[in-house]
Each structure stands twice: as C-alpha cells, then as structure tokens.
Amino acid sequence: MNKTDIKDQEVTKNLSNFEFFFKADEKTLLRDLKLAFGPELDRLKNAYSIRDSPGSEPTILSPSNILYNKEYDEINRTLVGILTLRWIYNGEYDVLVAAQPEHIRLSKDSFTWLRGLVLDTIKGSDDLLTLITSMIINDLGKDPNLASDYHKATGLDISGDNHDAILYKAVQNGMVPSLDRLNPEQKADLLRGLELGAVFNYGQLAQAESPPASLKSLVRFSSYKKAVEMHFIEQVLDVASAAGHMDWTCAKKLVEPIILTYQITHNIVMEITNISQSEHSLHDRYDQVLVYRAQLLSRKGFTQLGVKDDNERAFLRLLCMGNASDLAHANLFQSTWRSLDEPIRNLLIRALNNDGSPEEPAVQPTYMPAFLTQVYKSSNGRIGGQHALNSALRYLARVMTLDKALTPNGTIILERSVLEVVKTTIQTHQFQDDPTILESIAVPEGQVALHIRDLSSVDL
C-alpha cells in the first residue's frame, strides 16, 4: 500500500469518526475534507451559482479561501452545509441562526425537531460518511464539464438534463471517485438517494414549483426509508447553505417559514412511502403545502385563501414559488395578479391547477422561485415593482403554455428551466430599466421530467 492510499484511509477514518468530525476545529476538518474529496471540490470550482443583491461579506475567511486562497461560490455553499451539520449535531443553535432576520429566525422548537431527526438517522460511522459524501457530491451536476465528460465517455448527450439527473447518471458510470470508499450498503443507500433526487426534489415541492404528479415518483421508494430520510436531511442542509457563498458564518436561509414548509414536505413524503397510511390522494397531500402558505399569510393579516377555488389555488402556488412569506410581499403579488390581462390570468389558473397526466402534461418551471425572487429584489419590494412582476408573470404564462402535439407521447411533466434567463436577463440593469424586455426572451426548451414508463400504477 502506497503513502497516498494510507493517507486516504486515515482521512476517511477521521471523517467517519464522530469525535473527530463533530469536535475537531473547523480548519482541520475543512483540510481533511479537501484531502478526501479533492476531485469533487475541483469540479465545484466550475459550478454555477446565483447571488442575491450585493452585501457586506463576513470579515473571517471563507471555507474556499482557507483551502484555495480564492472564493468559489459552490465550494463555500457545500462546505457551509457540512458545518451546519456540525452546528445541528452539537446543539449550536446560536451559531446557526446568527445572521438570520429576527422576524423569521428559526425557532428553538424547529431546531430541536431537526436535531432530533439528525440524531435518529445518523446512527454510526457508516451513516456519517454516507451523508458527508452525499453532501459533497450533491451539486456536481452544476459543473458543465461533468455532462461533457459523460458525453465523451458514453457518446450520450445529457447536458439538457437537470443537474440532479446528470449527477445520477455520472455516478452510475463510475465518474465520481469518492463513492469507491463506501461499502456496498452505504453505496446502495447513497445511490437510492441520488435516484430519488433525480426524479423528486423536496425544495420544488416546498415551493410548489413541481406539479402534484411529481409525487408519483416517490411510490417506488417505499422499501427504502433510510435512504429517503438521509436524502431529506441532505436536502435540508442544502437549503441551510444556500447563502453560504455570501455568508459562511451561519445557516442564513434555514429560517422558520422554510423549515415549517420542509416539515410538511417531510410528512407528505413519509406518508407516500408508507403504504399502510390512509388513502389520501397525492393531490390532497400536495395541497398541504398550499394550505400552510395560506395559513402563514393569514396569520399576518393577508386575505384567507383556500385550495377549493381554482383562482385562489393557482395564486397560492404562485405565492409559494415567489417565496412570499410577509404581508408586503403577498400584497404586491396580489395587486399584480389582479392587474393581469384576463386571458393571461386564466391561462395561469389553468396551468397552475394542472396536476400532470399523459392526457394533459404539466409544465414544471424549474428555477422559477429564483426568477421571481430576483424580480422582487430588483424592485426592492416597491409598489412600482408591480410593473416588473407583471412582466415576469406574463413570461411565466408563456413558459407554462404547452403544445401537446409537440410533446413526446407519455409525458406527464415537462421541465423548463429558466436559470439562463435569471443569469442573462433578470440580474441585469437592462431588465431593471425595462422589464418588458422579457417579451423578447424565448421560452426555454423542455425536457421530459416524468414519463408514464417511469411509474408504477398509482392513483393521483
């Protein structure tokens, strides 16, 4: 055995050792992570990210600066997720919430719930190493080189797939070396989590970005509770680190409204993957997310909305996608919704109430929450921002308009990603000066996200 193999074994042993992982000083841990996952972190240097409005960064060095003397957004995000796991396990509530706005700060009750879930799921060294590996590789699909390397290796072009599907296919092809240090059981659990992530995303459910038919893909995971729980924790930690490229001192995005929504999505997923549960339809389970948003805003003085009326239900999906959790935000969305031309609003009502089926495929507007958040921030929440939001909703209507004749037979969900529009249009001064520029922006090409051949028989 050469010195490199011996060093790798030592580092792997450290990272799967509870005493080391949760108690070592942060710089020592980060350096061991670099030693263990160097090729994966190198890929993250190329990954894309979305930044909020410029703000003051912490004065302490970021994780990527400690390791590479340079800022790499996705490396910072990924490693802040790892640090968040330590904060949760060690009960460091004050560290986790340090820079969170007070009115939406994660409550101690929610922190206790999350910590309990982590302690119940991560039982031993195998679980710990599996989770760390899953977190490190989670965003590798955002590196465009991974898809191009896959194409070189297989001759298949997967560049149009979402980044979760790209990662899953690359792992299946043996292109992510860190999985080689896992034992067969660990690797199987991680692969099941990746397979789940390729067809279902907790965040997309929490933000009502995906239609109800997306829940159908969960049914085949009913025998893999451990993998499902591990994937949920990994996804929550991903949310916790979502602002880690701008503030690496805390879990800035893991705020109370978000964790409460994730609790709901966790309950929904656990019900669906537990075949002994009561016979609620997937549609009704999905609506729990919308009902929570209605209750959240109602407590803050907003109009009480319900899911039985198509207009209100469509608007609730929009409020979820727009991350509207306060009164000013919701009021701007409502005034804009009411100002839409009736044909546009009716089109959105129909599209946002479409569950998705082979007879009537639904569109999933991927990255629409980031799109709408950036639009709202570009207007600084001003009433004048209604003009920008109006243009955004008109664009959303085009994105969600589907020509069945041009859609592959058997499609249940067609995914259209607006990420490039966010990066090349929404974040520019040109959009801020003239939001109607969206009228000249083409609708993204679609990719089949869910096909009838992917599913077991289950009633929606």
Side-chain angles (χ1 to χ4, degrees):
M1 184 179 296
N2 61 42
K3 291 183 179 180
T4 301
D5 290 336
I6 293 173
K7 184 63 177 176
D8 183 71
Q9 285 188 2
E10 290 175 354
V11 170
T12 300
K13 185 177 180 180
N14 280 345
L15 293 178
S16 58
N17 180 287
F18 275 55
E19 183 66 25
F20 174 85
F21 181 82
F22 292 112
K23 300 301 180 184
D25 67 90
E26 289 188 359
K27 287 186 178 180
T28 300
L29 175 63
L30 292 173
R31 286 166 182 151
D32 267 20
L33 288 167
K34 181 184 178 183
L35 288 172
F37 298 101
E40 288 78 12
L41 293 176
D42 283 342
R43 281 201 180 276
L44 289 176
K45 294 176 182 178
N46 306 315
Y48 57 80
S49 64
I50 298 174
R51 281 181 166 262
D52 292 340
S53 303
S56 58
E57 291 185 344
T59 55
I60 66 171
L61 288 178
S62 71
S64 72
N65 223 314
I66 290 171
L67 298 181
Y68 300 100
N69 298 312
K70 189 174 180 180
E71 298 298 348
Y72 292 107
D73 282 0
E74 284 303 315
I75 289 179
N76 283 330
R77 283 188 54 171
T78 297
L79 295 180
V80 167
I82 298 285
L83 296 177
T84 300
L85 174 60
R86 284 178 27 126
W87 299 332
I88 292 170
Y89 188 92
N90 291 331
E92 297 179 87
Y93 171 78
D94 291 337
V95 176
L96 189 147
V97 303
Q100 292 183 357
E102 186 174 355
H103 68 289
I104 55 173
R105 182 175 298 156
L106 184 74
S107 70
K108 289 187 177 180
D109 284 345
S110 292
F111 179 81
T112 300
W113 174 83
L114 181 56
R115 185 168 185 266
L117 187 63
V118 168
L119 295 178
D120 286 345
T121 305
I122 312 304
K123 292 292 192 180
S125 58
D126 284 356
D127 294 336
L128 180 58
L129 185 59
T130 303
L131 179 58
I132 294 168
T133 304
S134 178
M135 292 171 66
I136 291 286
I137 72 172
N138 177 54
D139 283 333
L140 294 188
K142 293 181 179 180
D143 171 19
N145 294 327
L146 189 61
S148 60
D149 289 345
Y150 184 91
H151 183 256
K152 292 173 187 175
T154 67
L156 300 175
D157 182 8
I158 60 172
S159 59
D161 292 359
N162 66 59
H163 71 266
D164 293 313
I166 290 172
L167 173 60
Y168 180 55
K169 292 174 182 177
V171 166
Q172 286 182 306
N173 199 52
M175 297 174 63
V176 183
S178 59
L179 270 70
D180 294 339
R181 64 170 60 96
L182 301 178
N183 65 41
E185 186 177 350
Q186 290 172 291
K187 192 170 183 179
D189 274 342
L190 193 148
L191 283 170
R192 290 182 189 115
L194 291 178
E195 182 185 2
L196 173 60
V199 295
F200 173 79
N201 185 291
Y202 283 97
Q204 290 172 349
L205 172 60
Q207 297 174 111
E209 180 181 350
S210 55
S214 64
L215 297 175
K216 284 189 171 187
S217 59
L218 291 168
V219 176
R220 70 176 185 266
F221 292 91
S222 59
S223 300
Y224 306 117
K225 297 294 194 301
K226 183 64 172 289
V228 172
E229 287 283 35
M230 292 277 279
H231 184 66
F232 176 76
I233 291 171
E234 184 266 313
Q235 290 285 288
V236 171
L237 293 170
D238 186 56
V239 172
S241 63
H245 54 313
M246 295 174 291
D247 187 343
W248 39 86
T249 63
C250 67
K252 195 166 187 177
K253 294 290 187 180
L254 194 60
V255 293
E256 186 72 359
I258 287 179
I259 198 62
L260 291 177
T261 306
Y262 267 75
Q263 284 185 16
I264 291 168
T265 64
H266 179 262
N267 293 340
I268 291 170
V269 171
M270 289 300 104
E271 284 184 5
I272 293 171
T273 54
N274 185 344
I275 57 176
S276 67
Q277 285 286 345
S278 59
E279 298 180 356
H280 293 298
S281 71
L282 300 185
H283 177 96
D284 289 342
R285 289 192 177 104
Y286 180 95
D287 279 358
Q288 293 175 34
V289 174
L290 307 183
V291 169
Y292 165 70
R293 181 67 51 165
Q295 292 171 344
L296 169 69
L297 292 171
S298 176
R299 289 195 295 268
K300 297 187 176 184
F302 192 67
T303 306
Q304 179 66 56
L305 300 170
V307 295
K308 301 302 182 184
D309 177 85
D310 282 353
N311 175 69
E312 292 186 5
R313 185 177 182 277
F315 183 55
L316 277 170
R317 269 197 73 185
L318 188 62
L319 290 172
C320 289
M321 278 194 279
N323 292 308
S325 58
D326 60 62
L327 196 55
H329 202 159
N331 282 334
L332 179 58
F333 267 83
Q334 185 175 61
S335 61
T336 306
W337 178 254
R338 290 171 174 172
S339 73
L340 288 171
D341 294 338
E342 189 171 353
I344 299 295
R345 187 168 59 252
N346 287 340
L347 192 157
L348 284 170
I349 290 171
R350 178 180 173 82
L352 291 169
N353 280 292
N354 180 7
D355 286 350
S357 68
E359 296 72 34
E360 190 173 2
V363 173
Q364 178 173 298
T366 307
Y367 285 100
M368 187 52 67
F371 180 105
L372 293 173
T373 297
Q374 292 294 318
V375 168
Y376 182 70
K377 288 185 175 180
S378 73
S379 68
N380 293 317
R382 300 185 303 268
I383 295 300
Q386 182 175 312
H387 180 49
L389 190 54
N390 186 287
S391 293
L393 297 188
R394 294 175 68 87
Y395 183 75
L396 174 61
R398 287 200 288 132
V399 168
M400 300 199 72
T401 299
L402 194 61
D403 187 340
K404 180 68 162 42
L406 300 178
T407 305
N409 288 335
T411 298
I412 296 173
I413 300 174
L414 189 79
E415 178 181 13
R416 284 178 173 158
S417 172
V418 298
L419 175 63
E420 286 303 314
V421 183
V422 174
K423 294 193 293 187
T424 62
T425 303
I426 302 301
Q427 292 186 320
T428 66
H429 290 296
Q430 191 175 5
F431 171 77
Q432 294 173 20
D433 294 339
D434 180 17
T436 61
I437 189 177
L438 281 173
E439 295 175 9
S440 64
I441 303 298
V443 168
E445 292 187 11
Q447 297 286 330
V448 176
L450 187 64
H451 192 277
I452 193 170
R453 64 173 172 265
D454 301 325
L455 301 175
S456 305
S457 177
V458 58
D459 292 332
L460 182 65

